[in-house]
Amino acid sequence: MTQPLPFISALLGAERPLIMEVKARDAHGGNLLRGRAPGDLAAAYERSGAPCVSVVTGRWFGGSAAMLTEVTSRVRVPVLLKDFITRRDQIAAAASAGASAVLLTAALLPRESLEGLSRECQEYGLTPFVEITRAEEATGLPDPHRCVIAVNNKDIAAKERDAGDLDRSRSLLPAVRAAGTLCPVSASAVGNPQVAAGLLAEGYAALLVGTALLRAPSVEEWLREFDACRAGAVVPGAIPVPTTASVSPSAPATPAEPPLPAGPVAEAEGAPV
């Protein structure tokens, strides 16, 4: 078996196996950056001990290709590009911009395309970060030990505006492990440190956390609480229900956002945005 690629190695060797995400806005259009530069956020995550950073460049979440180069220029840890990847030239561009891993959304790709893009990633030395919502999407990937298989706890058909279903992570973990990945990941709807600690106790190797960290008054305090929850007796099977992603009523008002594009599925299919 060939050695895992750097993105997976970083997660498997991490004290806190969290992929910390930079994202401009949430699925409802809420401003998550709040005047902060993507590169500054990524650098702060690295200082906080993030083994990997994710950057969302998809327009549905207010992203752009420039965000990737800004982030990779500021951090030394592996970077995941999250966008709706459907073409080989997008993978080449990600590699050129310094990404270490690329999101491949199984629900949006024909099976042949998913497998072909996964091979293309590996040829460039990138980790395919294959996001699934059904057990059958995890099977048959080329060199699965060199892939991350991530369970998306949100519903892309609902434009990821739902609160998320952590039971999906629990129910799909056996299938994800059986598929051959070294690094099963639970992604989205990881709303608080207790939820995060519970998912790791269930058996996930790593988590992707975005909105919760971006809205946290203090990333360092969030991480301290996470460490405390992991050190406590977190019982597998007792993952608490996540809170919804709505902003607290006491949160300061943010400027009006530009109209949202048609949605993740339309964006991936090349609809006008």
Side-chain angles (χ1 to χ4, degrees):
M1 180 185 295
T2 55
Q3 291 298 312
L5 293 166
F7 188 88
I8 292 176
S9 294
L11 290 176
L12 295 180
E15 183 176 338
R16 290 182 183 134
L18 302 177
I19 307 162
M20 302 187 196
E21 187 161 271
V22 176
K23 182 164 61 175
R25 66 187 181 208
D26 64 24
H28 301 270
N31 185 345
L32 295 174
L33 291 180
R34 292 174 292 158
R36 298 171 292 183
D40 290 343
L41 271 172
Y45 286 156
E46 184 177 33
R47 290 194 299 272
S48 296
C52 300
V53 170
S54 167
V55 56
V56 180
T57 62
R59 289 170 289 175
W60 170 245
F61 295 102
S64 67
M67 287 178 63
L68 175 61
T69 54
E70 181 179 346
V71 168
T72 57
S73 70
R74 293 290 304 277
V75 300
R76 292 172 294 178
V77 297
V79 174
L80 165 66
L81 166 65
K82 285 187 68 179
D83 208 327
F84 300 108
I85 302 298
T86 58
R87 305 186 314 273
R88 295 176 185 272
D89 64 294
Q90 292 173 291
I91 293 172
S96 296
S100 295
V102 171
L103 172 69
L104 299 177
T105 306
L108 299 179
L109 293 167
R111 189 67 200 191
E112 184 178 350
S113 296
L114 176 62
E115 294 176 8
L117 291 171
S118 180
R119 290 189 187 93
E120 188 81 3
C121 284
Q122 294 181 40
E123 288 174 7
Y124 276 97
L126 305 178
T127 296
F129 190 95
V130 181
E131 191 176 78
I132 69 163
T133 56
R134 295 179 294 139
E136 56 267 30
E137 293 171 341
T139 61
L141 293 170
D143 292 324
H145 61 284
R146 305 185 83 209
C147 300
V148 166
I149 301 180
V151 177
N152 185 352
N153 297 309
K154 290 204 169 188
D155 184 358
I156 195 168
K159 303 180 180 180
E160 296 196 359
R161 289 175 171 169
D162 57 310
D165 180 10
L166 293 177
D167 281 338
R168 181 181 296 161
S169 277
R170 183 183 294 113
S171 64
L172 291 183
L173 180 58
V176 171
R177 286 198 173 279
T181 183
L182 301 176
C183 191
V185 169
S186 179
S188 298
V190 182
N192 61 57
Q194 187 182 4
V195 167
L199 286 164
L200 292 177
E202 286 278 351
Y204 276 91
L207 310 173
L208 189 147
V209 186
T211 301
L213 288 176
L214 288 161
R215 287 194 176 136
S218 166
V219 171
E220 290 75 15
E221 182 58 35
W222 197 100
L223 294 173
R224 280 194 293 270
E225 186 176 346
F226 168 70
D227 291 341
C229 288
R230 290 188 77 192
V234 179
V235 179
I239 299 175
V241 176
T243 57
T244 61
S246 58
V247 179
S248 167
S250 62
T254 56
E257 295 292 329
L260 288 170
V265 175
E267 182 178 332
E269 294 173 347
V273 293

